[in-house]
């Protein structure tokens, strides 16, 4: 019954059902995503996928490709924007599902809304449907899944289908068919991390495109499996050994998983954030300088070891965001690990030297709390022989330690400035419209059209 | 090393390397595929995917969508033609890999060749690369994979990437990147069979599109995992428990898996063919009439039970092609189970009654020979109490019991006539060009453009 319940929820959700606090959070997440989408401009893998989308039938259409200010069909625009919004590693994350919702949900919501002429309230409703679905699918697939699969790619197809399906007005039966088509296209393997390949951008593009396609096909009568998630030859049967079907309908309509989503502060893989914040805490408390650090042991959950473990000597900026040692060295030396710190400093000799003095150890308490809570624990040995411990229970950006709207705005402006995707004036105009989107009768272009 | 070897082979294959007999077989397979692609015209799931492709940026372009005679980008045309060519269940199959190569290889080969202006010899070379790669990936992924995954969808992304990559002239390193991008998009679950959903057409469309995209991206510098197939977080790690990396490079350049491919005679799931032919054999030998049959036990491999087992009371023509009982009832009553027999008779009361008297039993000998050999064994109990046994070692269409060029031509004409996709005159013209494609300086449209 689980796929059925989840699909029914996604189809029947209405703006009036969503608590105000959750609508406000959805607006926060939308603005935060917009900055990440613009940040992708100029990144080589992003530009490749955008060129592909434009060359394969895009280049004109009602949905905008943000980084090129071009138009395309919703399918190709969603792929392009999804590729763009995951590369800076600044997009949001839901802890319990280890799933990055924004990068697969909002590209679809924006592209579909622009093509369909939908209102801003419908865009937000669709986004909440996508978050609630994708997060529960991620939780359902469990830790065994995440050991091999990039959950944002796999659960992402369902999130994208829910988003597009909600905007298309699919009924519950059609939504279930859309889920069937989306789940049978779920894909995304971590293997690419080993050689710092570009697949992360492909995974989000794929999830957004496949999910949107599934919803469009369902509207046209195309059918999918009835129990794609929990069935005996479904997603969990093929790609998980600890799936829990009870998670799929967990608190539907009362527990708003959207509101549990965390913003990213550091521009790195989320698995590095708890330790980074814990190191900052211990350095502040004991007024340590980077030169005082002889060794850092980060006490982590197994998922961190699975994802970050293969990255020993990061060769690219993007790979360095998956290097625990690099991230800790950057925060130790610069107080934060933002886009600029990675670009300018990830190969500094001092950063490399400190990187080599950081190691990960599996920690029973941290591992048990994960993925519901992402506890940061570090042990620092100083050059003068002291052993100091640091801890944070909620890394910066988590719901209990969240970003203010001023911080979200500032982050979006920083990201657009970083990539050169928009001027400050263009950003102010777009951000004004985004903060007021709940009142917009239809979703218009966010960027001026290309000259 | 295995992904590397396979990618190197796919990149470096040249027309001159391919033995004449294999080139002739590739021509046979191309013509056989063409008939299946046309047979999809008018099928509801096919038309949905074609409409999607046309609506999302297709409708004009250098690659033809065969069933609509429209043009599109190679990406969207490949998706549309791949959706079309698997629905009649008449496309080819490679026994050892349980993989249907034509439906994911030729749509990509045709679409890419038409856009790139490639010669017919290059199209054939690319198709052989696709067959050799896809078949080996299917063999590598093994039986555990096929229990849950539709290998044509999963291995199909690699086959499609090899095909497109060969036509794009990728070097070995680029081809490996294309494989990485293709493998990380591999998807396709059997769950849809349980409710007779449309996913099979989506799987082939997805594989063709994702594979072609991967090759196009690789030409543009986009990178993929180096060991997507055998790596610790690669395709086999996530989606197989009995993968054998030795199969990936098995006999590359000396063993031509393309030539091992079987044509389909009956218009049903290949798992039904050995038993169907064995039943025909015993009926012929003992001059049985359908009314003489009290019960048929088919002695099958486990894969047949996995795929056909869920289909108990077929509700649609397509689902009935996965019903062992229906297929055997049709061949018992009509001498064959072709498209017309399914359409007109799958719900005849006499067919349904006979269907209920057919059951499957796992057979040790058959299961052990599978998937290398697909042995057909049946035990028939007659109404007058005799127990008769029938056996075929190579079902009709296998390399040792293959179709002649006349039979292939006749089959293609039947398929086009069945769907109304082309007149006999149009078919004669297209078939003439296809049989002579090795000499064509460039691949032209096969069908007249839509009026």
């Amino acid at each position: 019954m689980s796929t059925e319940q989840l699909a029914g929820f996604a189809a029947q959700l209405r703006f009036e059902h969503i608590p105000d606090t959750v609508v406000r959070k959805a607006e926060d997440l939308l603005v935060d995503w917009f900055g990440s989408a613009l940040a992708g401009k100029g990144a080589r893998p992003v530009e490749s996928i955008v060129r592909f989308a434009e060359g394969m039938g895009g280049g004109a259409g009602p949905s905008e490709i943000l980084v090129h200010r071009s138009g395309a069909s919703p399918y190709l625009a969603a792929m392009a924007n999804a590729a763009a919004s995951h590369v800076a590693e600044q997009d949001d994350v839901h802890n319990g599902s280890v799933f990055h919702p924004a990068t697969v949900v909002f590209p679809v919501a924006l592209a579909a809304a622009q093509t369909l002429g939908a209102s801003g309230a419908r865009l937000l409703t669709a986004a909440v449907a996508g978050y609630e679905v994708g997060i529960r699918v991620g939780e359902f697939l469990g830790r065994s899944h995440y050991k091999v699969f990039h959950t944002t790619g796999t659960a992402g197809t369902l999130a994208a289908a829910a988003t597009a399906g909600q905007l298309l007005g699919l009924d519950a039966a059609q939504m279930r068919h859309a889920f069937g088509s989306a789940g049978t296209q779920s894909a995304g393997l971590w293997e690419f991390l080993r050689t710092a390949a570009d697949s992360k951008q492909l995974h989000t593009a794929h999830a957004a495109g496949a999910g949107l396609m599934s919803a469009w096909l369902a509207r046209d009568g195309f059918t999918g499996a009835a129990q794609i998630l929990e069935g005996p030859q479904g997603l969990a049967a093929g790609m998980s050994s600890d799936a829990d079907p009870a998670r799929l309908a967990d608190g539907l309509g009362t527990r708003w998983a959207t509101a549990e989503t965390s913003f990213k502060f550091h521009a790195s893989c989320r698995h590095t954030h708890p330790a980074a914040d814990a190191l900052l805490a211990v350095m502040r408390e004991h007024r340590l300088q980077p030169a005082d650090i002889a060794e850092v042991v980060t006490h982590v959950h197994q998922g961190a070891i699975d994802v970050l473990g293969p990255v020993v000597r990061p060769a690219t900026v993007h790979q360095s965001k998956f290097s625990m040692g690099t991230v800790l060295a950057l925060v130790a030396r610069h107080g934060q690990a933002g886009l600029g710190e990675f670009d300018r400093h990830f190969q500094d000799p001092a950063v490399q030297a400190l990187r080599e003095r950081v190691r990960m150890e599996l920690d029973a308490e941290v591992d048990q709390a994960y993925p519901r809570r992402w506890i940061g624990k570090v042990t620092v040995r100083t050059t003068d022989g002291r052993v100091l411990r640091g801890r944070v229970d909620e890394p910066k950006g988590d719901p209990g330690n969240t970003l203010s709207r001023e911080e979200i705005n500032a982050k979006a402006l920083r990201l657009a400035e970083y990539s050169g995707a928009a001027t400050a004036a263009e950003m102010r105009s777009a951000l004004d419209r985004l903060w007021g989107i709940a009142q917009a009768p239809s979703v218009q272009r966010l960027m001026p059209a290309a000259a």
Side-chain angles (χ1 to χ4, degrees), chain A residues 399-417:
Chain A
N401 186 12
T402 194
L403 305 189
S404 67
R405 287 204 159 182
E406 289 65 38
E407 286 176 311
I408 292 168
N409 245 340
K411 180 181 161 192
L413 286 163
R414 263 201 320 275
L415 288 169
E417 189 190 354

Side-chain angles (χ1 to χ4, degrees), chain A residues 3-265:
Chain A
T3 300
E4 187 177 7
Q5 285 173 271
L6 196 60
F9 171 82
Q12 286 147 11
L13 185 67
R14 295 294 172 266
F15 189 69
E16 311 81 72
H17 304 160
I18 309 172
D20 275 353
T21 52
V22 179
V23 172
R24 297 292 89 76
K25 177 79 179 211
E27 292 165 349
D28 291 355
L29 296 165
L30 170 62
V31 171
D32 188 69
W33 164 74
F34 181 62
S36 278
L38 292 178
K41 183 180 170 67
R44 184 186 46 72
V46 172
E47 295 292 336
S48 279
I49 291 176
V50 173
R51 267 194 295 274
F52 180 82
E54 290 175 342
M56 288 298 167
S63 300
E64 69 185 308
I65 295 177
L66 291 168
V67 296
H68 279 197
R69 305 186 178 192
S70 53
S73 68
Y75 177 58
L76 296 168
M79 286 174 57
N81 291 333
S85 37
H86 203 40
V87 74
E89 293 289 337
Q90 287 273 267
D91 55 309
D92 63 22
V93 60
H94 180 271
N95 288 344
S97 53
V98 206
F99 170 63
H100 298 282
T103 185
V104 290
V105 165
F106 284 116
V108 172
L110 181 68
Q114 288 181 330
T115 285
L116 299 169
S119 70
R122 292 212 57 179
L123 180 150
L124 291 172
T125 308
V128 170
Y131 272 69
E132 299 296 321
V133 166
I135 288 167
R136 283 178 177 78
V137 172
E139 290 175 337
F140 158 73
L141 289 171
R143 295 178 65 164
S144 67
H145 178 76
Y146 189 75
K147 283 183 86 76
V148 181
F149 293 96
H150 180 200
T151 304
T152 300
T154 55
T157 62
L158 279 297
T163 305
Q166 166 66 218
L167 276 159
L168 287 169
L170 299 189
D171 65 26
Q174 290 171 320
M175 186 68 86
R176 196 175 177 188
H177 288 304
F179 280 20
S181 294
T184 206
Q185 295 182 83
S186 282
L189 296 157
W190 282 124
E191 184 63 25
F192 75 93
L193 283 179
R194 219 163 301 274
T195 48
D198 298 331
S199 308
K200 226 177 181 204
Q201 282 56 70
L202 183 59
H203 292 171
T204 53
H206 174 264
L212 183 144
M213 178 180 185
S214 299
W216 243 262
L217 289 176
R219 186 180 62 164
D220 198 29
F222 194 92
T223 63
Q227 300 197 305
I228 194 64
L229 296 167
E230 74 280 32
Q233 289 168 304
L235 197 51
M239 294 153 76
S240 173
S241 59
D242 64 345
D244 178 3
R247 305 305 299 271
L248 286 172
D250 179 48
L252 278 176
T254 52
R255 169 199 163 205
W256 294 93
T258 306
E260 301 163 2
T261 306
S262 300
F263 300 100
K264 269 190 173 182
F265 183 64

Side-chain angles (χ1 to χ4, degrees), chain A residues 278-290 293 331-332:
Chain A
L279 178 62
L280 284 173
V282 76
M283 288 181 72
R284 261 186 232 114
E285 184 184 346
H286 299 281
R287 297 169 188 269
L288 297 184
Q289 295 301 313
I293 300 175
V331 302

Side-chain angles (χ1 to χ4, degrees), chain A residues 286-316:
Chain A
H286 299 281
R287 297 169 188 269
L288 297 184
Q289 295 301 313
D292 299 330
I293 300 175
E295 185 194 48
V296 183
V297 178
T298 64
H299 307 281
V300 299
H301 51 270
Q302 183 63 42
I305 294 172
D306 292 340
V307 173
L308 309 175
V311 183
V312 181
R313 299 180 145 268
T316 65

